Every structure is written in structure tokens, then in C-alpha cells.
Amino acid sequence: MSSEVSSRVWPAWLDPGKAIPGNVPPRKRQLALALRSLCRLLRSQEPDGLGGNPPKQAEAARRLNCSADMLSRYLNETRVPGREFVERLYGEASADAAASGQDTGMTREALLTLHSSAAAERRGCKHCSELSERIDSLMRQLNAPCPACVAHQAERDAYQLRRKRDTARLRSARRKAARLHAAVEAMRAETKGDGRALAAEAGPEERPAAARTNRALLPVPHQHRDRQQSMKDMSAARQLVAQARELDGEGREDLAFTLLRQSTTELLTPVETAQVVVELRQCERDRLANDLIHVFGRDQAKQDVMTVALVLHEKGATDDAGAILRAALG
């Protein structure tokens, strides 16, 4: 009915834009608006009237057994109509609305409640005033947002905020891991450069000795590799585990594992990865260690997996060495 009200051209006495004077009390104002809505459902029954058109004010007054002046007071002023008028208007409007396939938009009980409230407002009845206050309270509750919906929206907002923070922390951790990897690579390049420089500076008499020394070092077991290189492997692994441990301690285990997985597969060497597993065991992050072993063994190249297993075995972590080989075998 709202679209019809906004598009139809109404006579002056039914104009939806006609304001109600400010001296009309709130209850009577609500009743007047309801009565106006019902009057707009009335249709002319005059022989010379066009079918479907609203009646003139005089015709509507005759159908409602009142004068045109009294009808105007009911719709626009402080005058409260009697119950008989309200019921008759509702009956006439309902009949005309049904004939044109419309709905009144309110029940008879709701209209009579508005009428009782407006009458109580005029009389100052304490009981009716309390009833009106209860009606107002009920209306406020009906118009108030659903507490469950508010709580759900707050939960969604908190989740989105946590997600943004976790994303920012993950990006920061990735940047730190990239800087760490770059520093490790620079240290490795520097170490290789120092070795080549020492070889170039060696005299003719020293080179054979150096060559003999290099030949003697070839069969040395893997655990006796360069101490400086081992320290670099441990440093990279410890910094990565420190970041993962901090995230895991804050309840962000999934974020900690994502950092470990990406760093060990994209940035660290197999030797450093083995050290990460050892460091995780030492700081009692067994679940992260188990998950890393499973994913690395399942997804990485067999040669890298075998290197990690060998380093773990050398470090005394025989169970983890066997676990990563089993993961590689599926």
C-alpha cells in the first residue's frame, strides 16, 4: 500500500504530506495517522463518481455517521473519536480494501489499542498511562536490534580484526625470514671468498700441502664440517624457531606452522631445516616439530629429505630421522 500512497494523487483532506499540528499529543497523533491510513482505503460509492477513486470528505463523513468538520478534527486535531466511530471506520475501510484486493495494514485489536491509549492520554488515567508506557516499551523492544545479531556482528568484527593482525604478523615474519636468509647467504659467500683468497695467496710450496690437506678432508664424516658454517646454520634455525615459538605462545599455532613450512622449503637449507627440528624439540614444541617433519618429508625432494635425516641422526635425533624417511616413503 505504501507504493500506491506515494504514487496516487489524493484529495486535500487525505494528502499524505499534510502535517499534524504540534499541539496534538503523541497518542492522539498515532491514532490520527492510523485513521488517515484507513480513510485512504475508502472508495467512492456515489453514482456519478469514478470507480476506485477516494471519496470526498462529505461522502466519507456520511458513511461514518459524522459531520465533515468532526471528521477533520478526528484526523488532524486533538479531538479523540468514540469507539463506535473507530470500529465503523475500520469496517468500511476493510470492506473497500478487500473489494480492491488490498490489506488494511493493521488489525482491529491494534487500532482499538491505539484508541484506548489516546483516550487515556486525554483523561490522564493512571492505569491507561501505565498501559501506554508498556506499549511504548514493547515498541522500543520490537524496533531494537536483535541481541543475537549484534553479538554475531561483534564476533565477526573481532574475527576480521584478528585476521588482519595475523596477516600483518605473518608478513612481518616473512620479511624477517627473508632478511635472515639474505644475511646467511652473504656470510656463506664471504666464507667461500675467504677460502679462495687463501688458496690464491698460498705459495708454490704451500699449495701442494693445501691440496694434500683437502684430499685428507674428503673422507671426514659429515659431523666434522666447518665449525663456522655450523654456527651459521644454528643461528638461522634459532631465529626462525624463536619467531615460531612466540606465535605459538600467543595461541597462533597455525600461523607459526605456516612460517616454519614456508621458511624451510623456500629459504633454509636441509641442514638448517634439521637444526630447526632439533630446536623445536628443545623448546618443547613437539607438535610443530611433528607437523614439520611430516610435511617436509612428504613434499620435498628425496635428496633434501635424506640430508635432513642424516643430520638428525648425527645430532642424536634418531626417531625424527626415521620419521622423516617414513614420511618420504608415504
Side-chain angles (χ1 to χ4, degrees), residues 244-299:
R245 182 179 180 182
E246 179 182 356
L247 293 172
D248 186 52
E250 296 175 356
R252 301 290 188 267
E253 182 179 354
D254 54 343
L255 190 61
F257 177 70
T258 300
L259 175 63
L260 290 171
R261 182 182 61 186
Q262 293 186 353
S263 299
T264 53
T265 58
E266 300 175 7
L267 301 177
L268 302 184
T269 65
V271 176
E272 292 168 330
T273 299
Q275 185 63 36
V276 167
V277 175
V278 173
E279 294 289 334
L280 288 173
R281 294 297 188 194
Q282 291 178 355
C283 66
E284 299 181 353
R285 291 300 188 272
D286 294 331
R287 184 169 181 177
L288 290 175
N290 293 336
D291 292 344
L292 179 60
I293 288 172
H294 175 75
V295 172
F296 192 93
R298 180 194 63 191
D299 298 340

Side-chain angles (χ1 to χ4, degrees), residues 32-315:
L33 292 175
L35 296 179
R36 286 184 178 186
S37 298
L38 291 174
C39 286
R40 293 190 189 99
L41 296 174
L42 297 175
R43 294 295 175 260
S44 177
Q45 298 179 354
E46 295 293 337
D48 57 347
L50 297 177
N53 282 352
K56 297 180 180 180
Q57 185 172 354
E59 178 189 352
R62 286 195 299 272
R63 291 179 61 181
L64 300 174
N65 292 333
C66 67
S67 64
D69 180 65
M70 189 61 66
L71 177 60
S72 177
R73 292 183 181 181
Y74 292 159
L75 300 182
N76 304 292
E77 298 180 9
T78 60
R79 184 67 178 268
V80 178
R83 182 186 179 95
E84 180 181 355
F85 171 87
V86 174
E87 291 184 339
R88 184 174 184 84
L89 172 57
Y90 187 86
E92 294 289 334
S94 297
D96 287 2
S100 58
Q102 293 180 283
D103 184 78
T104 58
M106 70 182 72
T107 64
R108 182 188 301 271
E109 291 74 15
L111 179 63
L112 293 177
T113 299
L114 284 177
H115 176 261
S116 300
S117 179
E121 183 180 55
R122 182 187 61 180
R123 295 192 306 267
C125 173
K126 181 178 179 180
H127 173 74
C128 294
S129 297
E130 293 176 354
L131 177 61
S132 299
E133 291 178 1
R134 288 198 296 269
I135 293 174
D136 287 344
S137 176
L138 179 60
M139 293 301 296
R140 286 193 296 269
Q141 293 176 13
L142 292 176
N143 294 328
C146 172
C149 294
V150 172
H152 177 67
Q153 185 62 41
E155 183 178 352
R156 284 181 57 85
D157 293 343
Y159 169 76
Q160 293 295 337
L161 180 60
R162 290 196 303 270
R163 185 175 180 181
K164 290 181 180 179
R165 290 177 177 174
D166 290 347
T167 301
R169 291 177 66 90
L170 179 58
R171 289 176 180 172
S172 176
R174 287 176 177 173
R175 288 193 294 267
K176 290 180 180 179
R179 289 195 296 267
L180 175 63
H181 181 69
V184 171
E185 291 298 325
M187 294 174 67
R188 288 174 178 166
E190 183 180 354
T191 302
K192 292 180 181 179
D194 292 343
R196 288 194 297 268
L198 290 173
E201 292 174 359
E205 297 179 356
E206 296 173 346
R207 288 175 184 170
R212 287 194 300 273
T213 302
N214 289 338
R215 286 195 296 271
L217 288 175
L218 287 177
V220 174
H222 187 66
Q223 63 266 26
H224 297 299
R225 64 183 181 277
D226 182 70
R227 175 194 281 288
Q228 186 178 6
Q229 187 62 41
S230 298
M231 293 300 295
K232 294 175 183 177
D233 295 341
M234 293 177 62
S235 175
R238 285 174 178 172
Q239 292 188 42
L240 176 60
V241 171
Q243 296 177 21
R245 182 179 180 182
E246 179 182 356
L247 293 172
D248 186 52
E250 296 175 356
R252 301 290 188 267
E253 182 179 354
D254 54 343
L255 190 61
F257 177 70
T258 300
L259 175 63
L260 290 171
R261 182 182 61 186
Q262 293 186 353
S263 299
T264 53
T265 58
E266 300 175 7
L267 301 177
L268 302 184
T269 65
V271 176
E272 292 168 330
T273 299
Q275 185 63 36
V276 167
V277 175
V278 173
E279 294 289 334
L280 288 173
R281 294 297 188 194
Q282 291 178 355
C283 66
E284 299 181 353
R285 291 300 188 272
D286 294 331
R287 184 169 181 177
L288 290 175
N290 293 336
D291 292 344
L292 179 60
I293 288 172
H294 175 75
V295 172
F296 192 93
R298 180 194 63 191
D299 298 340
Q300 299 309 304
K302 303 302 181 184
Q303 184 63 37
D304 292 341
V305 175
M306 291 178 64
T307 302
V308 173
L310 178 60
V311 175
L312 288 173
H313 187 272
E314 293 173 353
K315 292 180 177 293

